[in-house]
Amino acid sequence: MEAFIGNLELGFTTALSLQNIALCFAGCLIGTLVGILPGVGPIATIAILLPLTFQVDPTGALIMLAGIYYGAQYGGSTTAILVNIPGEATSVVTTLDGHQMARQGRAGVALGVAALGSFFAGTVATLVIAALGVPLTKLALIFGPAEYFSLMIMGLAFAVVLARGSILKAGAVIFVGLLLSTVGTDLQTGDERLTLGLVDMMDGIDFAVLAMGLFGFAEILRNLDNPETRDVVQAKIGRLLPSKQDVKDCIMPVLRGTFLGGALGILPGNGAVLGPFASYTLEKKIAKDPRRFGKGAIEGVAGPESANNAGAQTAFIPLLTLGIPPNAVMALMVGAMTIHGIIPGPQVMTKTPELFWGMIASMWVGNLMLLIINLPLIGIWVKLLKVPYRLMFPAILLFCCIGIYSVNNNSSDVLMTAFFGFAGYAFYKFGFEPAPLLLGFVLGKLMEEKLRQALILSRGDFATFVTSPVSAGLLIVAVLVVVVAIIPTVRKGREEAFQE
Amino acid sequence: MIRIRAPQETAAGLFLIVLAVLVFWQTDDLAVGTLRALGPGMMPRLLASLCAICGIALVVYSLVKDGAQLERWSIRGPLFILGAAIVFGLAIRPLGLFVAGPAAVILGSMATRDSRFVESVVFGIGMTTFCWLLFKVLLSLPIPVAPWLLGY
């Protein structure tokens, strides 16, 4: 307990330095601003804003990035409520009742409840991360290469099952991501792999190049093909603060949502996606009058939004303690950390405690800031929603170009990104989701390394993956998840869940 | 009579198969290694095989089950957006941000019919100025601004 408080204290002294508060504030503000813009989801937001952090020290950069992440997440919820367009899979559920509330002139209350619920969930999640950080890091130290490999297999299995669209395609996309990670010079033998003889490919495909190609350029191309009809709520926003009755209706859903979202977010597969769905289903089940749902029930906003935010934060746990990103956004954080010279994993906490705890404390500060920034500024956000796309996309294009160039000050990176932009466009036409690819790409190098290590340790015996009980358990879970998802009845349920 | 019932899946499957063939062709000189010491060719080929299996499965499915059509590919979007990026990449070193920036914005704007030329010129100059202030002046990233005029 004493260590827990000491750690948090260290974190808060770091997070509350003038520079870091300013960075956190800037991150939250810009993240919300960009996240709210038409056609820019959280992944694209982080990818576009990455270069803003280059000149800052690693701690500050991560604090700012985390701020951008929450901001983008919150921006997604705002568009879900006001325009009926979810920024990301996790805010899909918010559109159901949130947008209905907005149509009834209660947009303000919906936004207010979302912000307050998220703040509460964020506070709890921050404490959970702080409490679980130390024990999980210890657990990570007993993980050998075989266990790590199996853990990543399990994570990818979850990512396949939880991706939208067909399981076969999600699996294929992950394989392509893993394949892309093998490009470049082989670390053990020095052989060039799949470089097509290009000098620029010798160091492998740059993470930023892939991310900006798939999520910066390809998204523009996708949006140009399918201009989304923005059904901006014309009704008044109304007052922001919920009434006493609203608060009473919301307390329990918020608590349940926080618990569900937080617990699912810890899973080293994209568990955070499940949180809002689970919370919504639960609230609907136990409601006295389930018919109100879908017609502007405040519980249908409060619960999922809390679950969303709790999951968004506890998703940091596998990343910070085990070094394994659970989803595409976290994969992007890995990329960002690597650019700043930090390899995510258990050693971050022991080697640079002020970075680790500072980032955790800044999560809470960031949540508080979102509350302060968002509610008064909602009028500006509504105006931003009306920016025409014909002005939006050239600006995004320019930002991406400058961003990619400045990662390595290498102009051929921009050309490579254009190539991946086209690949992303083709993927979209083929019906492949790009997010699992990014996850596979980030995990690929680590997986190959661990696989080789494990096989060297076991002298080439594959049994090492099943003789270790931890590794065997993880693999069994992975197989079960995929098998269960393939069974027809469950598949139907899954399709329905995604359609809802 | 075999009929393609899900063109999107067929295309996706064929893409995966082509990718796998490409990988096998490119890695044929790399050692696969033994289990005790995996060679550099092992992972790429293993993954390519998995891609090929998924690809074949997709193609087979697309012949038996009805599914999505392959959407029309637009030429205008990719041409101008990616063209703008390539122009930016080629121009940033020799000509600097003050040329590459507006060029990318103006060229990129042409990706949609909604854009107006004068507007995109003004917007391009405005955005470039904004990016110069933000990235160069405020964040001091080493981006060439106008080497032919300013020497940096």
Side-chain angles (χ1 to χ4, degrees):
Chain A
M1 195 63 200
E2 220 165 89
F4 174 71
I5 292 170
N7 287 332
L8 276 186
E9 206 181 322
L10 171 67
F12 275 106
T13 23
T14 315
L16 292 180
S17 78
L18 210 57
Q19 184 214 349
N20 288 343
I21 288 190
L23 286 172
C24 184
F25 177 77
C28 287
L29 188 68
I30 306 169
T32 317
L33 196 120
V34 177
I36 245 170
L37 291 172
V40 192
I43 301 180
T45 306
I46 301 175
I48 295 168
L49 295 177
L50 210 51
L52 289 179
T53 66
F54 287 170
Q55 299 298 84
V56 190
D57 67 283
T59 311
L62 284 184
I63 286 179
M64 187 170 174
L65 270 173
I68 291 174
Y69 170 52
Y70 313 134
Q73 203 89 22
Y74 191 80
S77 307
T78 310
T79 48
I81 292 171
L82 292 177
V83 215
N84 205 15
I85 293 172
E88 209 200 8
T90 49
S91 42
V92 171
V93 194
T94 311
T95 57
L96 299 175
D97 279 287
H99 191 60
Q100 287 306 320
M101 281 181 76
R103 290 177 155 254
Q104 294 159 13
R106 303 209 329 137
V109 177
L111 288 164
V113 161
L116 289 167
S118 297
F119 175 68
F120 174 78
T123 309
V124 174
T126 307
L127 289 174
V128 170
I129 298 178
L132 286 182
V134 181
L136 273 177
T137 310
K138 289 212 177 92
L139 178 75
L141 294 178
I142 60 162
F143 265 40
E147 285 84 3
Y148 257 108
F149 179 78
S150 304
L151 182 66
M152 284 185 269
I153 292 278
M154 185 183 90
L156 290 180
F158 270 104
V160 169
V161 174
L162 295 178
R164 250 179 296 183
S166 94
I167 291 180
L168 195 57
K169 277 184 165 174
V173 162
I174 285 188
F175 294 140
V176 175
L178 292 170
L179 197 54
L180 286 177
S181 78
T182 66
V183 174
T185 313
D186 179 42
L187 285 182
Q188 287 179 14
T189 59
D191 285 320
E192 276 181 38
R193 296 198 292 191
L194 299 171
T195 57
L196 306 172
L198 296 172
V199 181
D200 285 307
M201 300 271 270
M202 298 247 284
D203 291 333
I205 296 165
D206 199 284
F207 173 81
V209 167
L210 185 68
M212 296 230 205
L214 288 181
F215 292 97
F217 290 171
E219 275 214 355
I220 298 179
L221 296 175
R222 213 174 68 179
N223 287 330
L224 285 175
D225 267 15
N226 289 20
E228 50 187 28
T229 40
R230 305 213 114 209
D231 163 29
V232 180
V233 169
Q234 299 301 329
K236 268 211 186 124
I237 300 293
R239 60 200 193 95
L240 292 164
L241 287 181
S243 67
K244 254 192 192 148
Q245 184 57 39
D246 290 336
V247 173
K248 231 175 94 193
D249 289 341
C250 285
I251 288 181
M252 288 318 283
V254 166
L255 284 175
R256 287 188 289 257
T258 303
F259 175 76
L260 273 175
L264 288 167
I266 301 177
L267 285 181
N270 199 0
V273 169
L274 287 179
F277 286 101
S279 163
Y280 191 80
T281 319
L282 179 72
E283 293 309 325
K284 203 171 168 179
K285 272 234 166 81
I286 61 176
K288 278 193 197 115
D289 180 13
R291 277 170 303 172
R292 280 176 36 252
F293 281 78
K295 291 178 192 147
I298 197 163
E299 299 95 320
V301 177
E305 271 302 300
S306 312
N308 181 357
N309 205 43
Q313 264 188 35
T314 50
F316 271 102
I317 291 180
L319 177 67
L320 290 175
T321 56
L322 303 170
I324 291 177
N327 54 37
V329 180
M330 289 297 139
L332 210 60
M333 295 297 279
V334 174
M337 286 173 148
T338 326
I339 289 176
H340 284 284
I342 303 156
I343 314 288
Q347 71 283 356
V348 173
M349 191 170 82
T350 41
K351 274 192 198 145
T352 44
E354 74 289 341
L355 185 148
F356 184 89
W357 296 106
M359 190 168 158
I360 288 176
S362 85
M363 292 178 178
W364 186 77
V365 179
N367 275 298
L368 184 66
M369 283 193 180
L370 278 182
L371 200 62
I372 300 171
I373 301 171
N374 279 306
L375 295 183
L377 290 185
I378 202 72
I380 300 178
W381 299 154
V382 175
K383 288 217 176 65
L384 271 179
L385 288 171
K386 294 174 183 157
V387 175
Y389 198 65
R390 68 163 198 280
L391 291 181
M392 278 295 314
F393 78 84
I396 298 174
L397 179 70
L398 183 60
F399 257 73
C400 285
C401 286
I402 295 177
I404 304 150
Y405 175 76
S406 12
V407 176
N408 299 321
N409 293 315
N410 183 354
S411 44
S412 59
D413 277 357
V414 185
L415 308 184
M416 283 265 277
T417 311
F419 169 77
F420 282 115
F422 183 74
Y425 181 64
F427 265 46
Y428 161 63
K429 291 290 180 195
F430 292 147
F432 289 127
E433 279 277 313
L437 188 148
L438 203 62
L439 185 61
F441 178 76
V442 169
L443 288 180
K445 280 214 167 68
L446 197 59
M447 270 179 92
E448 184 177 11
E449 191 189 312
K450 296 291 175 195
L451 175 67
R452 282 178 166 188
Q453 282 174 0
L455 285 176
I456 289 172
L457 286 176
S458 73
R459 295 166 199 279
D461 186 3
F462 262 107
T464 178
F465 295 107
V466 279
T467 44
S468 142
V470 178
S471 167
L474 292 168
L475 285 179
I476 290 170
V477 173
V479 173
L480 275 181
V481 167
V482 175
V483 169
V484 165
I486 294 174
I487 295 171
T489 49
V490 181
R491 202 162 74 188
K492 233 178 232 161
R494 176 174 167 272
E495 273 157 21
E496 274 160 21
F498 277 110
Q499 254 151 33
E500 219 177 302
Chain B
M1 180 59 195
I2 296 174
R3 197 168 61 87
I4 295 175
R5 292 165 188 269
Q8 194 190 50
E9 314 276 297
T10 322
L14 289 176
F15 163 77
L16 290 172
I17 295 167
V18 170
L19 182 75
V21 171
L22 193 76
V23 170
F24 268 94
W25 172 53
Q26 282 290 316
T27 56
D28 65 349
D29 55 340
L30 293 178
V32 175
T34 58
L35 277 185
R36 193 183 288 199
L38 293 184
M42 183 65 171
M43 277 302 261
R45 286 199 207 175
L46 178 72
L47 291 165
S49 312
L50 290 169
C51 279
I53 292 171
C54 288
I56 292 165
L58 277 171
V59 172
V60 171
Y61 265 126
S62 75
L63 298 177
V64 277
K65 253 180 83 180
D66 289 318
Q69 290 293 318
L70 193 60
E71 275 179 59
R72 233 174 59 86
W73 293 48
S74 72
I75 297 173
R76 196 187 178 102
L79 184 72
F80 284 105
I81 295 292
L82 304 177
I86 291 168
V87 166
F88 182 94
L90 296 176
I92 185 75
R93 272 278 163 95
L95 300 175
L97 183 66
F98 279 174
V99 176
V105 172
I106 295 167
L107 203 60
S109 298
M110 293 179 191
T112 164
R113 287 199 175 80
D114 302 339
S115 64
R116 298 152 208 173
F117 186 72
V118 178
E119 185 187 72
S120 61
V121 171
V122 175
F123 189 64
I125 294 170
M127 274 309 292
T128 308
T129 316
F130 172 74
C131 287
W132 168 67
L133 284 172
L134 178 66
F135 291 107
K136 193 75 192 181
V137 178
L138 197 66
L139 298 170
S140 53
L141 294 182
I143 303 166
V145 179
W148 41 275
L149 184 70
L150 306 166
Y152 61 89

